[in-house]
């Protein structure tokens, strides 16, 4: 048995890891279904493309408050917080049953904002909870499997949500999502973890929030990884904003982008299965740099006017893009003290994902002004430069090693 398959088998046999990953699949299924349907729902009610697009923005907007919201995850026990957050969302979503006219869209946006904020808190608490629940030697493998689970769900959940919406309307999808949160809360309750009681808060909320950013900035290995993650997400989103122009240049309808995303998802599922061994062999910094470089090639390669080349680039992008995220999260979990892990994780989320939103907006404007092929080459070159910068950072050998360098095999 290979090291990769051994580690995966060990994780799946581990009760805590198996329960947690099952919860990721269950709650991720509902979230992915609602994410797609919310935009379609608003479009049907209002006829506005702009309002429909704002649904995604509403879900992502709370990421800007990540450092503040993440502080909550360090002030209370994480397991009860995750359970209560899931149950709160399960109680919140049925309110969408009242959405039936354009005037009700405000309620939908309010729910999406609260949904996004709860997601930030839960992700921060999850990061610390995973460290307590999973063998530290297998953190890289676990984070890869979590990525595989999330991306795998995205291949089927949106289609299921769309079918349910077509048959029964938006409230049915909200009910489905509420049920998945109840199941996720139950699975979390079954976890067997021993958490240390959080230390009594020192200083005011602002000081505690700033501590997460300080820990990331002061760490010689985390600062370049998180910075590279933010740059990568920005440049990759700039490239993805050109997808419709790329598809149009090949003579396809806009719906063809769905094929691209599906192929990209397959790549992301695959890289999650091998990320543990890759992190052990390469270390976080090199693993992330290689992934960023592959993403750069994938973005620039879309200038080739060929369907096969386009789909190959989509697959390569799906493989490359998650690498820096897996590496950064694994490094944060290893290097940051448990007492501050919620704040640090939420701050890393903000630094890496806020540029993603900005990139989508800027790219949408640039594609109207500049030839998309020139932009693809420019963004691809930026990604290659980011990879090169990260690969040549003068980090010490010890700081660059993976948390699972002690090969569990």
């Amino acid at each position: 048995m290979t090291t990769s398959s051994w580690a995966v088998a060990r994780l799946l046999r581990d009760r805590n890891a198996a329960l947690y990953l099952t919860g990721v699949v269950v709650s991720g299924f509902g979230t992915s279904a609602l994410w797609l349907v919310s935009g379609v729902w608003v479009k049907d009610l209002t006829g506005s493309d702009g309002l429909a697009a704002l649904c995604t923005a509403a879900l992502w907007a709370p990421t800007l408050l990540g450092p503040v919201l993440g502080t909550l995850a360090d002030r209370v026990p994480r397991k009860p917080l995750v359970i209560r957050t899931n149950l709160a969302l399960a109680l919140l979503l049925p309110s969408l049953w009242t959405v039936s006219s354009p005037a009700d869209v405000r309620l939908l946006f309010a729910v999406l904002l609260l949904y996004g904020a709860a997601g930030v808190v839960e992700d921060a608490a999850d990061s610390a909870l995973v460290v307590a629940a999973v063998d530290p030697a297998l953190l890289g493998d676990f984070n890869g499997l979590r990525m595989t689970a999330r991306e795998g769900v995205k291949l089927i959940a949106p289609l299921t949500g769309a079918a349910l919406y077509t048959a029964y309307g938006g409230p049915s999808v909200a009910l489905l999502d509420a049920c998945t949160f109840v199941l996720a809360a139950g699975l979390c309750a079954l976890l067997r973890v021993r958490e240390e009681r959080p230390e009594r808060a020192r200083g005011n909320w602002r000081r505690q929030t700033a501590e997460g950013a300080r820990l990331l900035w002061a760490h010689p290995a985390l600062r370049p990884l998180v910075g590279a993650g933010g740059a990568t997400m920005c440049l990759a989103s700039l490239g993805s904003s050109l997808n419709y122009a790329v598809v149009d240049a090949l003579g396809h309808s806009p719906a063809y982008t769905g094929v691209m995303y599906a192929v990209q998802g397959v790549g992301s599922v695959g890289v999650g299965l091998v990320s543990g061994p890759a992190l052990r062999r390469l270390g976080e910094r090199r693993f992330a740099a290689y992934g960023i470089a592959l993403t750069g090639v994938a973005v620039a390669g879309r200038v080739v006017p060929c369907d096969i080349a386009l789909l190959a680039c989509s697959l390569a992008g799906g493989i490359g893009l998650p690498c820096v995220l897996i590496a950064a999260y694994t490094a944060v979990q290893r290097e940051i003290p448990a007492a501050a892990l919620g704040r640090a994780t939420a701050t890393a989320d903000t630094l890496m994902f806020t540029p993603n939103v900005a990139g989508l907006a800027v790219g949408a404007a640039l594609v109207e002004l500049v030839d998309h092929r020139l932009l693809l080459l420019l963004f691809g070159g930026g990604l290659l430069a980011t990879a090169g910068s990260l690969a040549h950072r003068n980090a010490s050998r010890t700081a660059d090693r993976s948390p699972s360098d002690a090969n569990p095999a």
Side-chain angles (χ1 to χ4, degrees):
M1 182 181 290
T2 65
T3 301
S4 176
S5 59
W6 181 91
V8 170
R10 180 179 172 186
L11 277 171
L12 294 179
R13 287 196 304 268
D14 181 87
R15 184 177 185 274
N16 280 341
L19 284 170
Y20 187 92
L21 290 171
T22 304
V24 169
V25 171
V26 170
S27 63
F29 187 92
T31 297
S32 295
L34 186 66
W35 168 75
L36 171 70
V37 164
S38 62
V40 178
W41 197 355
V42 169
K43 170 68 174 177
D44 285 344
L45 288 174
T46 66
S48 170
D49 291 329
L51 287 175
L54 281 178
C55 290
T56 301
L59 283 168
W60 279 100
T63 306
L64 296 171
L65 300 175
V68 177
L69 295 172
T71 301
L72 176 61
D74 291 332
R75 295 171 70 101
V76 298
R78 279 70 177 254
K79 179 180 171 180
L81 177 61
V82 172
I83 294 172
R84 290 167 185 164
T85 301
N86 279 296
L87 292 178
L89 287 171
L91 293 173
L92 174 69
L93 286 166
S95 66
L96 295 181
W97 277 75
T98 63
V99 176
S100 58
S101 69
D104 299 326
V105 167
R106 288 174 296 180
L107 173 61
L108 177 56
F109 280 118
V111 169
L112 291 176
L113 283 169
L114 291 173
Y115 194 113
V120 172
V121 173
E122 185 172 352
D123 284 346
D126 275 342
S127 181
L129 190 59
V130 164
V131 173
V134 176
D135 185 346
L138 296 176
L139 271 178
D141 301 89
F142 180 85
N143 287 328
L145 280 181
R146 179 165 54 178
M147 179 70 69
T148 293
R150 286 177 172 172
E151 295 300 320
V153 164
K154 290 177 184 177
L155 297 177
I156 56 174
L159 295 176
T160 304
L164 195 60
Y165 175 81
T166 301
Y168 302 106
S172 63
V173 182
L175 180 60
L176 169 68
D177 199 11
C179 291
T180 64
F181 279 118
V182 172
L183 291 173
L187 290 167
C188 184
L190 295 175
L191 291 174
R192 295 172 180 169
V193 295
R194 295 183 63 183
E195 295 187 79
E196 295 183 6
R197 188 177 183 85
E199 296 181 3
R200 186 173 182 177
R202 298 177 182 176
N204 57 32
W205 194 285
R206 179 183 299 177
R207 181 177 178 181
Q208 293 176 58
T209 299
E211 181 69 8
R214 187 193 68 78
L215 289 170
L216 290 177
W217 180 257
H219 199 287
L222 298 181
R223 185 173 65 248
L225 265 177
V226 173
T232 299
M233 295 303 294
C234 180
L235 290 165
S237 64
L238 283 166
S240 66
S241 67
L242 309 177
N243 283 346
Y244 291 109
V246 172
V247 167
D248 183 62
L250 289 174
H252 296 300
S253 71
Y256 191 77
T257 56
V259 179
M260 294 172 56
Y261 290 132
V263 173
Q264 180 176 325
V266 171
S268 297
V269 168
V271 74
L273 296 174
V274 300
S275 61
L279 281 168
R280 281 189 287 274
R281 183 176 182 85
L282 301 172
E284 289 114 345
R285 188 166 51 91
R286 282 197 295 162
F287 176 66
Y290 291 161
I292 297 169
L294 182 59
T295 305
V297 172
V299 170
R302 283 187 284 162
V303 301
V304 179
C306 169
D307 282 353
I308 294 177
L310 176 59
L311 295 179
C313 288
S314 297
L315 181 65
I319 295 171
L321 186 58
C323 293
V324 66
L325 301 178
I326 294 172
Y329 286 130
T330 303
V332 168
Q333 288 171 330
R334 174 173 67 93
E335 298 292 343
I336 298 297
L341 193 48
R343 284 166 284 173
T345 299
T347 302
D349 274 342
T350 298
L351 294 175
M352 290 193 290
F353 286 106
T354 300
N356 179 56
V357 180
L360 288 171
V362 173
L366 286 176
V367 72
E368 301 292 338
L369 304 173
V370 185
D371 187 289
H372 73 277
R373 292 167 294 185
L374 177 60
L375 292 174
L376 286 171
L377 292 174
L378 179 64
F379 301 151
L383 285 162
L384 291 172
T386 301
S389 174
L390 181 61
H392 290 91
R393 289 277 183 178
N394 293 321
S396 69
R397 181 178 179 84
T398 300
D400 187 45
R401 291 173 66 82
S402 165
S404 48
D405 277 325
N407 191 327

